[in-house]
Amino acid sequence: MNKYIDLEDAKISIFEYIEGWYDRKRIHSRIGYITPQECEDIERKKSAV
């Protein structure tokens, strides 16, 4: 269990978790069961051509 100094500290921790792991590494059915990072990598390769 995490202990936070104040509400702002808790908000920062939650934001870092969501942006740093949950949304980046979790597979999503709407993008073909790949991670958002994999999707971005694919799109970046397509636009580089």
Side-chain angles (χ1 to χ4, degrees), residues 9-20:
D9 187 38
K11 286 179 181 180
I12 291 169
S13 182
I14 292 167
F15 175 81
E16 288 174 350
Y17 170 74
I18 291 170
E19 290 299 315

Side-chain angles (χ1 to χ4, degrees), residues 23-49:
D23 275 349
R24 307 297 292 160
K25 298 179 181 174
R26 179 175 73 93
I27 61 171
H28 293 265
S29 61
R30 296 192 95 174
I31 55 174
Y33 295 97
I34 61 175
T35 66
Q37 186 62 55
E38 290 171 323
C39 185
E40 286 180 19
D41 293 344
I42 291 167
E43 291 302 315
R44 198 170 289 123
K45 286 178 185 176
K46 285 180 186 177
S47 64
V49 174

